[in-house]
Amino acid sequence: MSIAQALNSSLSGLRATQAGLTVVATNVANAQTAGYIRRDLNLVENAAGDLGSSVRIAGINRELDAYVQRQLRVETSGGAYADLQAQFYQQLQQIYGSPGSDGAIDTVFNNFTNAVQSLVTSPDSQAARSAVLNNAKLLAQSLNSMSEDIQGMRSQADAGIADAVQTANTALQKIAGINAQLSSLTSDSAAYASLLDQRDNYINQLSQLMDIRVVPGDNNQISVFTTSGLQLVGATASQLSFDASGAISATSQWNADPTKSTLGTLTLVSPGGGTVDLITTNSIRSGKIAAYLDMRDNVLVQAQAQLDDLAATMAKALSDQTTSGTAATAGAQSGFDVDTAGLQNGDTINFTYTDNTVPQQHTVTIVRVDDPSALPLANTATANPNDEVYGIDFSGGMASVVTQLNALFGGLGQFSNPSGSTLRILDDGAPNLSDINSASTSTTANSLSSGSTPLAFFVDGAVPFTGAFSSAGSQNVGFAGRITVNPALLADSSKLVVYGP
């Protein structure tokens, strides 16, 4: 070996050693740096003809298991979703209170029912009346407060979506920018490994917000997709768009139909300007964004509905009066007459019939509706999970009501209006087909001196609660936030026990 060859080999070795020391020093210095991946030199033999053999730095490798990295991102997304949901559920539990504690809803409700039971045994006791009204006010205020807190949580989730979208858009732009920088670099570049670390860091941030899939490409490029298949980053980055709603009330509802939705939606805007509604297509299924959406549009909506159902059940238990129909016949047909004069919007006609061909008994609830745009009603429109619910437009008078009912139940029997406000419900007259078993009306008392035990104890602000339906939706929605004790009762507690006019 000549002196020149020896010197060349030595110099290349020194350069490799120096580079190796730099890599080791960098590894030690960044041992606690979040997102840093340990480096290692990739050395190869370099044959240089007359100059002999030497060593060449082919690149700087990151010691990374790609499979573990992919799994980590999947778990990061799922973990972020579960953690955020757990935080919201903890807040919801605090709103409800620990069962049996002084401020818990079950305790407040039990105190009210106990006070009512005491009044039954001592109706002339002023103290008993005051106890009923005081506990009723506390119960209504508790429902009001809980409703307000739940809507506050929905507003919190809405704001969380807006913040997450902003963070996601920053990450998408950074990933696309680093892609562009890496396209002109080789693996032996000093900036190469650092840029890969930065890109991975932004991908990891994105995986906390949504479920993603990373696809490697040529020339150090990657593409990022949602697990549902929508591309987030390619040659350029797409953008997320979200119209935050600000303050949210119980009537604020997201709907796939934009004309019916009163909450902001989440949209993916491609570089070419195309848009996809990510909520309608269920394209984000994990991560913080999915958790926020689920809380805002599902879990907390259901929590509010449960409070509203409780408030509605209490109000109607005290204000509703059921009046049984009277037996009626016409030739071979038999059934019942019911008086619809006292029905208000939201009040009901109820009847049961037996289909003898099966045989099977059916429970039917006919709801008075004065706004036809609210029709049709869903079976979930009443608290009874076993009834068949039909909304009937009463705005056209009894003749129209009869026509609508015969169109719905023509195979069952016959509906008619023999006189005034009477509705007659008859079977088909054939003994082996159908039988009308019972019929009644359920009407809401709107005064404190109706001559009967039901009274308008709880009201919806200043109006009776009937569970009415309109184009704006059901009166039930948000009722827990509006329920109050009838001011006339607070002014005169004797109305609690005086039934006559």
Side-chain angles (χ1 to χ4, degrees), residues 78-88 288:
Y81 179 93
D83 182 63
L84 188 58
Q85 288 235 321
Q87 293 176 35
F88 272 89
K288 288 185 177 181

Side-chain angles (χ1 to χ4, degrees), residues 288-340:
K288 288 185 177 181
I289 292 177
Y292 280 130
L293 287 170
D294 189 36
M295 282 290 160
R296 187 196 70 169
D297 299 339
N298 297 310
V299 174
L300 295 175
V301 172
Q302 293 171 12
Q304 179 67 51
Q306 290 171 350
L307 288 184
D308 293 340
D309 287 343
L310 174 60
T313 301
M314 290 192 320
K316 294 184 79 63
L318 294 170
S319 67
D320 279 16
Q321 178 169 351
T322 299
T323 304
S324 298
T326 57
T329 60
Q333 295 176 288
S334 62
F336 297 88
D337 285 344
V338 293
D339 186 2
T340 65

Side-chain angles (χ1 to χ4, degrees), residues 88 229 315 446 482:
F88 272 89
N446 52 19
R482 307 186 304 268

